[in-house]
Amino acid sequence: MNASRRSRSGSRVVWRRALLLSLAAVLLGSLVFYWRHQRQLNRYVRRTYASFISGRLTGREKTPLLAGYSVHGIDVSAYQGRINWPEVAGHQVRFAFIKATEGVTLRDARFQRNWQGARAAGIYRGAYHYFQPNYDGAQQANLFTRTVPLAPGDLPPVLDVEHAEFHDVAQMRRGVATWLRLVERHYGVRPILYSNYSFYKRHLAGHFDKYPLWLAHYEVAQPVLPPEKWIIWQHSDEAYVPGIRGTVDFNVFQGNFQRLLALRIPPRRSPAPH
């Protein structure tokens, strides 16, 4: 009996040690995984929480402005719903880029209201097109130019290139180049190219360097790209600005307010007298 009890006791000790080692291994693995992916995990938690509390938002929530920059702006679409533009303007938002079109047929449902509201509130406005890489670049440019009445004093047009599902990277680049060329010819001003850091580095870097870059790069203290490579930094896509109920993209302009004004579409030249 004693030998049998000792055997069972020894088996329980071995089992407990194995269980503790397994738990320790799981804990260590979890810590390593969190350390490697903490930014993505924290971001997911914040987004989940934001969705959970969205029904209780008032439209007065406010994210602090990013330190070290004097010119702040947002970009919006129908996703933000009804915007109180005067209230937005009262919280140091100096510029706004407004979604106008996407692909070859989609017009943003709130473009006209946002376009008029931003200007009436004294916010410098620009418009952007969301590029669908598997559709013809010329048709996409035509949709944008038929929709957006850019005028002197407005900010340059923007092409948003980040859609990762495409058949051929060379074809995608040709479509982007076509859109940029046709839109520049139509408005007489060089467009701004928007993309996120990973997409830009993988597919666009070195191919469109003559166009000003608006860079989306989150969870970093500063963009990895050197300052001479970009003019606008979208540093958050989960910010709160009074006047908007829910999250909105937050941006900073690289330079002072006078540099932003210099970026606007210039007045049209009067024809020379004969």
Side-chain angles (χ1 to χ4, degrees):
M1 284 292 288
N2 290 338
S4 176
R5 288 177 180 172
R6 285 196 298 271
S7 176
R8 288 198 298 271
S9 177
S11 297
R12 285 196 294 268
V13 170
V14 171
W15 181 84
R16 287 172 183 167
R17 286 177 178 173
L19 178 61
L20 289 172
L21 287 173
S22 298
L23 290 174
V26 170
L27 179 60
L28 179 61
S30 299
L31 289 173
V32 171
F33 180 83
Y34 176 75
W35 181 78
R36 290 181 175 177
H37 304 283
Q38 57 181 306
R39 286 178 176 170
Q40 296 93 321
L41 292 172
N42 292 342
R43 179 177 169 82
Y44 176 77
V45 170
R46 289 196 305 270
R47 283 184 162 273
T48 302
Y49 178 73
S51 298
F52 178 74
I53 66 168
S54 60
R56 297 195 291 272
L57 295 175
T58 65
R60 299 185 185 92
E61 294 78 15
K62 184 177 181 180
T63 298
L65 298 175
L66 188 66
Y69 296 89
S70 60
V71 184
H72 304 267
I74 59 175
D75 55 279
V76 301
S77 69
Y79 174 80
Q80 273 71 40
R82 183 178 178 276
I83 297 174
N84 184 333
W85 283 103
E87 188 168 0
V88 170
H91 287 82
Q92 299 184 54
V93 172
R94 309 304 299 269
F95 67 91
F97 285 98
I98 300 164
K99 183 176 181 180
T101 51
E102 176 178 335
V104 295
T105 59
L106 190 151
R107 289 182 171 91
D108 188 88
R110 300 194 70 89
F111 170 69
Q112 290 298 337
R113 278 170 286 191
N114 286 332
W115 189 245
Q116 295 166 7
R119 181 171 185 177
I123 295 173
Y124 292 98
R125 63 186 184 177
Y128 74 90
H129 174 85
Y130 187 89
F131 188 77
Q132 291 284 1
N134 294 321
Y135 290 92
D136 182 74
Q139 292 182 36
Q140 296 191 63
N142 185 46
L143 175 65
F144 183 84
T145 56
R146 285 188 290 111
T147 303
V148 181
L150 285 178
D154 292 330
L155 295 171
V158 174
L159 182 60
D160 179 342
V161 186
E162 57 181 318
H163 194 81
E165 297 179 8
F166 53 84
H167 306 306
D168 179 76
V169 67
Q171 178 183 341
M172 181 271 291
R173 290 175 184 143
R174 286 194 295 271
V176 169
T178 297
W179 193 99
L180 293 169
R181 183 179 69 254
L182 293 178
V183 168
E184 181 173 0
R185 185 171 68 189
H186 180 86
Y187 294 111
V189 63
R190 183 162 292 176
I192 297 170
L193 180 66
Y194 167 98
S195 192
N196 64 68
Y197 174 72
S198 59
F199 190 97
Y200 176 80
K201 288 291 289 183
R202 187 177 298 115
H203 302 301
L204 303 175
H207 296 273
F208 301 98
D209 290 350
K210 70 177 183 178
Y211 294 94
L213 177 63
W214 174 7
L215 182 69
H217 201 179
Y218 314 135
E219 306 290 343
V220 293
Q222 288 288 334
V224 173
L225 291 182
E228 62 270 17
K229 289 288 187 179
W230 56 271
I231 63 166
I232 301 172
W233 173 26
Q234 187 182 94
H235 57 88
S236 175
D237 62 346
E238 50 187 4
Y240 293 97
V241 173
I244 299 175
R245 186 175 176 179
T247 57
V248 66
D249 298 339
F250 228 171
N251 305 271
V252 290
F253 178 72
Q254 187 180 176
N256 57 28
F257 185 57
Q258 293 304 315
R259 281 194 63 189
L260 178 72
L261 295 181
L263 189 65
R264 295 175 302 164
I265 297 174
R268 293 186 177 94
R269 294 180 179 177
S270 301
H274 296 289

